[in-house]
Amino acid sequence: VKVSFVVNGVSRDVETAPDRRVIDLLREDMGLTGAKEACGRGDCGACIILVDGVTRHACLMLAAQLQGREIVTIEAEGLELLTRLQDAFVQHGAIQCGFCTPGMIMSAFALLRENPTPERERIRETLAGNFCRCGTHPKVIAALEALIMSMKESAR
Amino acid sequence: VVVHHFRAPTAPDNVGAQDSLRLHGMPHAVFSYGAHCACIEVDELTGRTRVDKYIAAHDCGTVLNPQILSQQIEGAIIQGIGFALHEELLCEDGRIMTPNLSTYIVPLMTDIPEIECIPVQAYEPSGPFGLKGAGEVGINGPLAAIGNALADACGVRLFNAPFTPERVHAAMKSTEGEPE
């Protein structure tokens, strides 16, 4: 099938098999290997991308469902909040093996865009859909809270 | 820029038993020690256990990078909490019954307590810069700490990990009415 959509601000028209998933399209055809496939069944959140501003598991969507939509992946450039999130993760050591990190950052990005000053409980609930086997959770929370604090201060 | 060198200790050339027998290097004979403390909350109705606060102190020699150390220790504690409370590889007739992440439950963001880790920096003379390994030293503590906390809170001793709600509940039922 022919599918046209916008990925990280660039319009793309692709020809793909009807049974192909979004994660395969992104990783194999488009070289956007940031989103990871771990469980392949929507449990772990490593493949989370934004579709029209909402978090979606790229392993549970068919490529054809992207028709006319706008998607954002971890590779997106020029989004200030995303860059700051990435910097905060690096600074606070919120990454160990890094496999869950793109999904974590995309979930956090969606949360902070909707609500720039979430409570700790809200952060926890939002990121509960992202599994992390290394156990970086406390550092992720520390990174997000530091970022939220610095954004609050710069907004003053 | 700091330049330093470290020569790993070597075994003596002649170990005595046979002249042809020679040893190189040193076996890993350095142990890290730790003390773990878990504060848990048990739902008496359902047996569900959750960890509210966790404190761990480790003797890991000189700390070169505090951030990486706390990453390692926190990560190990979280894996240990999973081991103690949720993760169970069930097997039936040679088939794995918990083959995916919706049946084999790993700790999520919502299961993570506040974790405080305290490095006890004792100088280790055989290690470079006085350090010891501190890789997964934290993973051994949580099962025992949570088990002891359960015994303290509900008076039940469980000997099979993980301490699932079913097991905790059954153990609490079986001790009902007994004197402490």
Side-chain angles (χ1 to χ4, degrees):
Chain A
V1 290
K2 265 207 168 71
V3 191
S4 42
F5 54 94
V6 178
V7 54
N8 299 333
V10 183
S11 309
R12 301 288 293 257
D13 297 294
V14 293
E15 177 79 45
T16 182
D19 62 348
R20 221 163 144 73
R21 301 170 305 165
V22 172
I23 186 85
D24 303 326
L25 187 74
L26 289 176
R27 292 180 58 86
E28 289 166 17
D29 296 4
M30 309 180 80
L32 298 173
T33 52
K36 307 276 185 268
E37 180 181 359
C39 65
R41 40 180 283 152
D43 286 334
C44 73
C47 62
I48 284 181
I49 56 168
L50 298 195
V51 178
D52 287 345
V54 182
T55 50
R56 286 277 176 265
H57 289 109
C59 69
L60 292 183
M61 270 185 100
L62 290 175
Q65 289 176 285
L66 290 181
Q67 175 59 37
R69 301 203 184 209
E70 192 176 335
I71 71 175
V72 179
T73 70
I74 188 75
E75 289 93 348
E77 283 173 14
L79 293 168
E80 199 205 335
L81 178 59
L82 191 61
T83 313
R84 289 183 72 173
L85 262 170
Q86 290 162 344
D87 289 343
F89 268 60
V90 172
Q91 264 171 28
H92 289 82
I95 300 169
Q96 281 189 42
C97 80
F99 206 84
C100 71
T101 308
M104 285 261 185
I105 292 182
M106 293 319 283
S107 288
F109 177 58
L111 170 69
L112 293 185
R113 234 176 22 175
E114 184 190 301
N115 173 5
T117 55
E119 304 277 303
R120 182 178 289 189
E121 268 320 292
R122 183 86 180 89
I123 297 176
R124 285 202 164 148
E125 281 165 16
T126 308
L127 294 184
N130 292 87
F131 289 21
C132 173
R133 185 71 278 202
C134 304
T136 56
H137 315 73
K139 295 266 184 275
V140 169
I141 293 181
L144 290 178
E145 287 186 338
L147 176 64
I148 291 162
M149 197 63 104
S150 80
M151 287 198 305
K152 259 188 201 165
E153 262 162 35
S154 60
R156 234 175 242 163
Chain B
V1 180
V2 178
V3 180
H4 188 82
H5 77 276
F6 172 72
R7 178 161 298 193
T10 48
D13 279 345
N14 187 348
V15 289
Q18 264 181 320
D19 275 354
S20 59
L21 189 63
R22 302 224 157 194
L23 298 181
H24 300 278
M26 274 284 268
H28 182 70
V30 179
F31 297 94
S32 297
Y33 300 93
H36 286 226
C37 231
C39 171
I40 64 163
E41 198 178 309
V42 184
D43 187 331
E44 287 186 339
L45 193 67
T46 61
R48 190 191 152 135
T49 309
R50 54 172 298 129
V51 184
D52 283 339
K53 185 139 177 60
Y54 205 98
I55 299 178
H58 289 101
D59 155 28
C60 28
T62 308
V63 176
L64 292 191
N65 186 329
Q67 189 180 66
I68 290 182
L69 176 77
S70 64
Q71 256 186 354
Q72 277 296 317
I73 304 286
E74 284 168 2
I77 290 170
I78 290 167
Q79 292 180 357
I81 290 174
F83 174 36
L85 295 180
H86 322 274
E87 295 174 31
E88 188 165 29
L89 192 71
L90 291 171
C91 210
E92 208 172 272
D93 299 331
R95 273 179 306 141
I96 305 287
M97 304 307 283
T98 52
N100 50 52
L101 292 168
S102 54
T103 45
Y104 183 87
I105 309 296
V106 299
L108 302 180
M109 202 64 111
T110 39
D111 303 315
I112 304 307
E114 243 174 83
I115 300 175
E116 198 179 322
C117 45
I118 304 161
V120 181
Q121 304 199 38
Y123 189 84
E124 170 52 48
S126 73
F129 315 105
L131 63 80
K132 279 184 186 183
E136 296 299 337
V137 54
I139 204 167
N140 303 308
L143 181 63
I146 293 170
N148 284 338
L150 253 176
D152 185 46
C154 320
V156 295
R157 278 264 166 220
L158 292 179
F159 297 98
N160 284 323
F163 309 142
T164 54
E166 293 88 340
R167 285 185 184 150
V168 174
H169 187 259
M172 283 197 295
K173 275 271 172 226
S174 68
T175 57
E176 235 166 46
E178 281 176 28
E180 290 270 311

